[in-house]
Amino acid sequence: MAAGHRKPRASRGAPRRAPSTPGGLEAVFGVHAVRALLDRGETPREVWVQEGSAGARLAELVEAARQGGARLQSRPRDELDQLAQGASHQGIIAFATPLAFEGEASLWLRLEGWPHAAPPLLLVLDGVTDVHNFGACLRSADAAGVHGVIVPKDKAAPLNAAVRKVACGAAESMPVYQVTNLARTLAKMKDLGVWITGTAGEAEASLYEADFTGPAALVMGAEGKGMRRLTREACDTLVKLPMAGSVSSLNVSVATGICLFEAVRQRQGAVKRG
C-alpha cells in the first residue's frame, strides 16, 4: 500500500446517547416506588417498561399507570440500566414531579394543633448524607408509625430517586421537614412538650432506660461523627445501644430501626396498661 494511504476503518455507527430524564421530572424506579407513586394518587407523566418478559410481569402496574394517563414506552434494558445508574429498576421507571421537603412552618402548625390521639413520635437525622441510609431510615420510620422526620438544610441527603427506591414508598408517605437551624428547632420542640432523646456511643444510659411513651423525638447522628455539638446540647437526654460484641457501632439506619421499635414497644405497652 502506498505511503499516506490507509484503508478506511469500517464504520461502527454513532455511539448511542445515554437516555435523559424528561425536563422538570424525576426518575422513580423499582416496583415498590412506582406503586407508592400511584397509590398516593400521583400519576407519572411517562413510564418506561423494559422490553421482553418484564411487560407481562408488570402488567397490573403498567395498566394502572396507563389508566391514570401516563404515556407508556417500551425501552431496552440497557437504557433503563443507564438511567438508574446501577440501581435495581426491576424493569420499570416512571417520571414524576420531584418530591419536596416540607417547611419548618408546617412542622409548627402540626405540633401546635396536634391532630392525633397518640402523642407525637418524631425522628431527627443530623448529618445523614448518604441517600441509601436516608432511604432506609425513612422506611423504618414509616414502619414504626413515626409522624414525621426532621432534617437540617445543611449536611443532609436529598429526596431523590435513589432515596425513593430504598425507602420502598416511605419517601412518598412520610412527611420530611427541612429546618434551617436544627438546635433552635429542638429547643422550640422542647417548649412544646416534646422530650428529645439523642443517641451517642459515650452516653451512660442505655436505650432501654429511655422513655418514649409521651411526645418524643429521637435524634440520630451521622455514622462516625455522630451528632453535632449544638444538636447534642439541645437534647434532654443521651442514650446508647448496649453493644455486646467486638464492633463499637452500627450502621445509622440499623440503629434507627432498633431505637424506633423500642419506642413502639414502650408505646404499645403504655396503651395496654392504660
Side-chain angles (χ1 to χ4, degrees):
M1 183 180 293
H5 294 276
R6 295 184 178 180
K7 185 177 179 181
R9 294 180 179 177
S11 174
R12 297 181 181 177
R16 177 178 289 179
R17 294 178 60 186
S20 59
T21 302
L25 300 179
E26 181 175 78
V28 178
F29 41 86
V31 172
H32 293 295
V34 175
R35 181 173 288 120
L37 196 70
L38 297 171
D39 287 347
R40 71 186 294 216
E42 183 180 346
T43 302
R45 189 180 303 174
E46 190 171 310
V47 174
W48 290 5
V49 184
Q50 183 179 315
E51 292 175 345
S53 60
R57 176 170 51 83
L58 301 168
E60 182 181 349
L61 192 58
V62 171
E63 177 60 19
R66 186 193 66 78
Q67 290 184 2
R71 178 168 168 258
L72 303 179
Q73 291 198 43
S74 180
R75 293 293 187 104
R77 176 175 178 172
D78 64 336
E79 289 193 16
L80 274 67
D81 289 344
Q82 288 181 61
L83 202 61
Q85 297 182 347
S88 175
H89 51 72
Q90 300 174 297
I92 188 166
I93 297 180
F95 299 94
T97 303
L99 288 177
F101 291 102
E102 295 199 32
E104 195 167 342
S106 297
L107 173 64
W108 304 132
L109 284 173
R110 194 171 188 204
L111 285 178
E112 289 167 357
W114 189 245
H116 306 289
L121 175 61
L122 301 166
L123 172 64
V124 181
L125 301 176
D126 182 25
V128 177
T129 57
D130 181 85
V131 292
H132 297 90
N133 282 334
F134 185 30
C137 287
L138 292 180
R139 187 174 180 179
S140 293
D142 181 77
V146 168
H147 297 106
V149 176
I150 300 170
V151 299
K153 283 187 176 179
D154 63 325
K155 300 185 183 303
L159 270 176
N160 62 13
V163 172
R164 296 171 89 153
K165 167 65 178 172
V166 175
C168 292
E172 285 77 16
S173 62
M174 177 61 55
V176 183
Y177 303 96
Q178 191 178 65
V179 301
T180 303
N181 186 309
L182 188 55
R184 188 170 61 209
T185 297
L186 295 177
K188 185 168 181 178
M189 288 167 61
K190 287 198 285 189
D191 290 341
L192 293 173
V194 179
W195 184 259
I196 312 294
T197 299
T199 53
E202 70 277 12
E204 295 184 2
S206 163
L207 166 68
Y208 306 115
E209 298 175 60
D211 183 1
F212 294 105
T213 56
L218 170 69
V219 186
M220 305 297 299
E223 286 189 59
K225 296 181 179 179
M227 293 179 293
R228 289 176 287 184
R229 179 181 60 84
L230 292 178
T231 305
R232 182 190 306 259
E233 292 174 356
C235 294
D236 289 302
T237 187
L238 296 176
V239 298
K240 65 181 178 183
L241 284 171
M243 304 293 291
S246 58
V247 298
S248 60
S249 64
L250 296 175
N251 174 280
V252 64
S253 62
V254 173
T256 297
I258 293 170
C259 292
L260 287 177
F261 276 90
E262 168 59 15
V264 171
R265 185 192 69 80
Q266 291 186 19
R267 287 169 168 244
Q268 290 179 344
V271 170
K272 290 178 181 178
R273 289 193 298 272

